[in-house]
Amino acid sequence: MRVIAHGGAGGRPDEPKARRATLDEATRCGVDADTPLDAVEAALGVLESDPRFNAGVGGAVQTDGVVRSDAGVMTADREVGAACSMPGVEHAASVARVVHTETPHVLVSGSHAVALADEFGIETGVDLLTDEKRERYEQADPPDGGPRAHLDWLATRFGSGGDQAGGRSDRDAPDHDTVGAVATDGETFAAATSTGGRSFALAGRVGDVPQVGSGFFCTEAGGASATGAGEDIARVTLSRRAVGHLEDGLNAQAAAERAIDEFEEITGSGAGVIVLGADEAGSAFNTDAMQTSIAYK
């Protein structure tokens, strides 16, 4: 088994050594799994439980003060499962796997996805809001009223990690710390991505992560997981673009670099991607930082 995982692309993280240790733990858990799909679920499960990452516990807070989790998984046979907009679900990647393996669907959302998780023994009702995220939200003078009032409030906040306009740039916002993993056993592949979204997004917003081809993609050539500015990643289907370069004959590193170069040229925004092919793993990003870990067995 070979597994590569990322901890998100964005600004330079606090506690980089501790985050690195968790990423290494995640990939070690992945390589001990029986199948690539088991491997990516196991790796993301570790990361979703660490509040240093923007997935599961410690996810980003939407305009109504709620953390909602999203995830998607795909295997080399082009079978897909995704789940989104789930309050109280720590292990979103496990819910996405349920959609992949137990339903005829590609994506299940909201309260129905939470009910599906509960039906299949995945814990729900988890408090995903950390003290740090709660304090940041409360200090930002959260809005009352309906979606129009929320839109006015988020205009200078969305994607900035809580800073006002003129502060940290969107490219380097800290809440890009989405997590992802790609695995292969030498015969087949799986890719998965999980997130809490982005700070101060409109309540109910869903970004690139659970959208097949955007936050994740996988074929017989290999797999990819993306992280960064979600709306822009979705506009260019970044993960599909990276895997397409594998299919065209590029190695994993070259495929990742070309995909990010194209992404930046088209959008001018910030993102990162990990890619795993038949022979090697690769990664690229155009933000301040993106931590990755690779494990082999």
Side-chain angles (χ1 to χ4, degrees):
M1 192 71 70
R2 179 181 302 162
V3 180
I4 180 171
H6 69 75
R12 296 195 179 279
D14 297 329
E15 303 181 89
K17 291 183 179 179
R19 284 168 49 97
R20 168 71 67 184
T22 303
L23 278 165
D24 290 342
E25 178 188 353
T27 53
R28 285 195 300 269
C29 287
V31 297
D32 287 335
D34 293 331
T35 70
L37 185 56
D38 292 334
V40 294
E41 181 186 11
L44 294 195
V46 172
L47 300 174
E48 289 165 334
S49 295
D50 189 327
R52 297 179 182 88
F53 299 93
N54 179 21
V57 176
V61 186
Q62 296 191 334
T63 57
D64 60 352
V66 176
V67 178
R68 295 177 173 87
S69 59
D70 308 330
V73 302
M74 186 172 182
T75 44
D77 56 3
R78 294 180 184 266
E79 290 295 322
V80 176
C84 68
S85 204
M86 296 181 292
V89 176
E90 178 178 348
H91 294 299
S94 294
V95 188
R97 180 174 182 169
V98 168
V99 177
H100 176 285
T101 58
E102 303 293 341
T103 82
H105 308 306
V106 166
L107 176 64
V108 179
S109 68
S111 61
H112 301 290
V114 176
L116 183 67
D118 190 58
E119 189 78 8
F120 280 86
I122 299 166
E123 186 178 7
T124 61
V126 180
D127 184 3
L128 305 180
L129 186 60
T130 62
D131 290 341
E132 185 272 332
K133 291 292 176 67
R134 181 181 290 107
E135 182 179 358
R136 183 196 299 180
Y137 176 74
E138 291 174 350
Q139 288 179 346
D141 189 24
D144 294 320
R148 286 185 182 274
H150 285 224
L151 286 168
D152 289 341
W153 180 82
L154 68 82
T156 59
R157 294 171 173 85
F158 173 67
S160 69
D163 295 330
Q164 298 295 320
R168 183 191 296 270
S169 69
D170 181 72
R171 173 188 290 263
D172 301 320
D175 286 329
H176 290 176
D177 298 339
T178 289
V179 299
V182 190
T184 183
D185 58 4
E187 296 181 359
T188 189
F189 295 87
T193 308
S194 179
T195 192
R198 292 171 72 186
S199 280
F200 307 151
L202 186 67
R205 175 262 189 185
V206 177
D208 64 296
V209 165
Q211 297 186 49
V212 60
S214 298
F216 64 101
F217 199 71
C218 189
T219 71
E220 293 181 354
S225 170
T227 171
E231 276 69 17
D232 292 321
I233 289 173
R235 290 183 182 105
V236 302
T237 55
L238 179 57
S239 291
R240 176 66 185 92
R241 187 178 292 266
V243 174
H245 293 320
L246 282 180
E247 293 172 329
D248 289 340
L250 294 185
N251 63 38
Q253 184 60 37
E257 290 174 356
R258 181 169 295 182
I260 290 298
D261 286 346
E262 292 169 342
F263 171 83
E264 183 168 14
E265 181 179 355
I266 295 168
T267 70
S269 193
V273 65
I274 56 172
V275 181
L276 186 64
D279 299 320
E280 68 167 12
S283 64
F285 58 96
N286 66 345
T287 58
D288 276 354
M290 183 176 78
Q291 291 182 303
T292 62
S293 175
I294 303 173
Y296 303 85
K297 185 175 182 181

